[in-house]
Amino acid sequence: MSRTIRTFEATIANQRQVRDDLNQLGWAASKLWNVGRYYAQEQWDETGKIPDDGDFKAELKSHERYTDLHSQSSQRVLEELAEAFNGWFGKRQNGNDRARPPGYRKNGDSHPRSTVSFKAAGFKHDAQFTRVRLSKGRNLKEHRSDFILCEYQTRPDVDLAEWDIQQVRAVYKRDEWRLQFVCRTVIDPEPPGEEVAGVDLGICNFAAVSFGGESVLYPGSALKEDEYYFTKKKAKCDDSSSREATRLDRKRTGRRTHFLHALSKALVEECVQRGVGTLVVGDLGGIREDDERSELRNWGDHGNLDLHGWAFDRFTTLLDYKAEAGGIDVELVSERNTSKSCSACGHADDNQRVERGLYVCEECDTVANADVNGAENIRQKVLPSLATDGVDETQSVSSAHQNAPRSGDGDRDNGWLAQPAVHLFDRSEGCFAPRELVANREP
């Protein structure tokens, strides 16, 4: 059994009735942040040290801004402030002189609406009537039992009654208040099988998946089109912080998030159908750095733009928790040499990737899609033949390649390595589907 935590976002159905009260709390959270920010500056100037969250709470618990919110909500504001200062101070200690400390929360002469968090004692959930009661601070109550009663609506597939709600957050976004429910549950899913699949993440094909006999490509063209489109639209804005630029950023983020959710869901569903119990993903943690010089790689103008828009960590996080719910283990492994080595015989040569998307092995004449070849090499890193104590890595890799599936002896161009299935993102349906189905839906 394992515990899993999810955050579900909900719209507020009675927005008009609760908006003013939530505004008061949001402004109060910003004011408390600013009081804490001022105190931190004083301490920094006097002692050269930053107070921790315990210092903040001890110093400010009697401040009138602290009692504008429920005590646990005020504590969370100060915890976030301490976390922000620790992050800045850590960068400063690592030699980043350009890092700036957290600022005051100001929007001209007014305060923005900050996120307000409610821990267990600060909210009461009514699953039957899909509503949640949020506590006010003593200063904002008109009478002792004063509270905010929010009616909410989640996605149709989300039932909060099945979850243990740990925290509720009121978040102001897109000119309205929304609720985020941070939930926990215990899951114990049965693994769908014992098969192993490998995933290679890339620019043109966002994900290439090898199942060791079949392969599937998930192109990232829809994501790239969005990135280029919104970059050009935003460049036409007079001010990068204008309302139109902000709207474009939000829309781009929303579409990117949906793409990553749809892709991770499709990949996990494919694995479940094929009885995959272990999903091996190439670790892209060092893709932005040169292996030898530890400097940022130059991938060309288009490549750098693509990499900037990628969300490697975000995708692997989504994939990890969706796979966990399906009983699939996710392992991150190094991608070192997976693009250079032949997945059929193990021969490595920098020149075998003859052109973009094509891999030809001079040793065994295997012809493969380059991304599928990389995915198969990633898959082989955790095959049972590798789990041999006392054998060095070179011997283990050789053993894995000897036991790996090979393309046919005749025309190798027709093998599964060379001709993977392709699943495209269907914009009309908002999901991935086989290429032929997506093509048939297009007008």
Side-chain angles (χ1 to χ4, degrees), residues 26 54 59 76 124 159 184-185 187 219 223 230 260-261 276 295 317:
E59 178 68 23
R76 185 57 194 146
K124 186 173 182 180
D159 182 3
R184 183 179 66 190
T185 192
I187 61 174
L223 184 62
F230 285 107
L260 297 177
H261 270 288
V276 171
E295 296 176 356
T317 298

Side-chain angles (χ1 to χ4, degrees), residues 247-266:
R247 184 189 71 82
L248 290 170
D249 281 338
R250 287 173 177 169
K251 191 169 183 179
R252 173 170 57 181
T253 299
R255 289 174 70 154
R256 180 193 301 164
T257 299
H258 179 75
F259 177 94
L260 297 177
H261 270 288
L263 176 55
S264 53
K265 179 181 178 182

Side-chain angles (χ1 to χ4, degrees), residues 281-330:
V281 182
D283 187 0
L284 290 173
I287 195 171
R288 297 177 190 273
E289 297 182 355
D290 186 277
D291 293 335
E292 297 178 356
R293 297 180 299 166
S294 295
E295 296 176 356
L296 291 180
R297 290 180 179 175
N298 184 1
W299 297 79
D301 292 340
H302 291 293
N304 288 334
L305 178 61
D306 293 333
L307 285 169
H308 180 72
W310 277 10
F312 301 133
D313 292 341
R314 176 67 173 150
F315 175 72
T316 52
T317 298
L318 293 175
L319 184 63
D320 188 60
Y321 87 69
K322 284 183 170 65
E324 180 186 30
I328 300 172
D329 290 330
V330 174

